[in-house]
């Protein structure tokens, strides 16, 4: 079985992430969205909140599973028996970082391969940071995140 891992912060999941995931789920037999728990990073949403939002918005994807992990992505992938990582590319600015990351991961684990996917043009510019910034200023984020995410953020930060 062709199993791929889609690792990331997903803080929160956006329509860009979802588009990458949709394509990934069409290419691979199964995709595990692996939410990174990084205690050093000051996350906007808790790990549980990020995981449950992703579960909610991917409930109609039959071959997508959602999980979380801590530590090295390659170790996590090895434990799951996966040797493919999915990462997304937006602009040229993503390229250098993603290239370094994929090369570091191949150096750490020689069987691991990173596959880069892109989104439809209309989702290309979306990032979790942009969403947080716009939301923080009271702007409309409905074009950037799934409805469930928008509703959750509105409820959580209503006070
Ligand atoms: P990380 O902190 O690991 O970068 P993110 O949740 O920000 O986690 O992103 C996970 C992956 O999804 C990254 O490879 C990122 O480049 C990709 N990604 C996020 N948004 C988009 C988008 N709009 N188009 C293409 N790729 C995207």
């Amino acid at each position: 079985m062709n199993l791929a891992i889609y690792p990331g912060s997903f803080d929160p999941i956006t329509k860009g992430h979802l588009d990458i995931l949709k394509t990934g789920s069409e290419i691979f037999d199964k995709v595990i969205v692996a939410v990174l728990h990084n205690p050093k990073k000051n996350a906007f949403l808790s790990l549980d909140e990020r995981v449950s939002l992703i579960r909610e918005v991917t409930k109609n994807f039959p071959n997508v599973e959602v999980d979380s992990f801590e530590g090295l992505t390659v170790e996590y992938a090895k434990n799951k028996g996966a040797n493919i990582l999915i990462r997304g590319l937006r602009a040229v600015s993503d390229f250098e970082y993603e290239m370094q990351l994929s090369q570091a991961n191949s150096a750490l684990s020689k069987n691991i391969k990173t596959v880069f996917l892109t989104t439809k043009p209309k989702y290309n510019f979306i990032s979790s940071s942009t969403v947080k910034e716009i939301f923080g200023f009271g702007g409309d984020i409905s074009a950037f995140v799934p409805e469930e995410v928008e509703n959750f953020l509105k409820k959580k930060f209503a006070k």
Side-chain angles (χ1 to χ4, degrees):
M1 190 183 63
N2 240 333
L3 168 66
I5 308 283
Y6 181 27
S9 310
F10 306 100
D11 190 27
I13 186 162
T14 67
K15 287 187 177 176
H17 289 126
L18 211 52
D19 198 47
I20 296 276
L21 194 52
K22 188 173 174 293
T23 306
S25 70
E26 285 164 9
I27 299 173
F28 301 104
D29 297 322
K30 184 175 165 184
V31 179
I32 302 179
V33 185
V35 186
L36 174 66
H37 174 54
N38 183 354
K40 284 190 208 134
K41 230 178 175 179
N42 219 345
F44 176 61
L45 298 179
S46 73
L47 185 66
D48 286 350
E49 288 170 334
R50 285 179 276 153
V51 168
S52 58
L53 279 173
I54 303 170
R55 287 216 171 103
E56 219 178 309
V57 302
T58 59
K59 59 177 186 279
N60 295 326
F61 292 54
N63 60 341
V64 169
E65 204 180 288
V66 189
D67 193 15
S68 60
F69 75 107
E70 218 174 314
L72 289 176
T73 308
V74 291
E75 285 304 319
Y76 173 78
K78 207 185 284 173
N79 290 336
K80 288 284 170 185
N83 57 12
I84 299 162
L85 299 179
I86 297 175
R87 294 287 289 177
L89 284 178
R90 276 164 292 213
V92 185
S93 53
D94 275 343
F95 182 79
E96 202 171 332
Y97 170 71
E98 293 291 345
M99 187 74 179
Q100 279 177 6
L101 195 64
S102 77
Q103 287 172 346
N105 283 333
S106 333
L108 288 168
S109 173
K110 67 175 177 0
N111 290 327
I112 210 92
K113 286 173 181 60
T114 303
V115 169
F116 294 106
L117 298 177
T118 53
T119 63
K120 289 192 190 75
K122 66 176 174 177
Y123 300 133
N124 189 52
F125 66 95
I126 305 173
S127 70
S128 299
S129 334
T130 314
V131 167
K132 285 179 267 193
E133 205 160 325
I134 296 171
F135 181 75
F137 286 113
D140 179 7
I141 55 166
S142 58
F144 313 136
V145 294
E147 204 182 341
E148 294 88 338
V149 174
E150 186 188 1
N151 292 340
F152 179 84
L153 295 185
K154 280 184 175 159
K155 215 191 269 172
K156 176 169 171 153
F157 296 99
K159 295 148 227 150

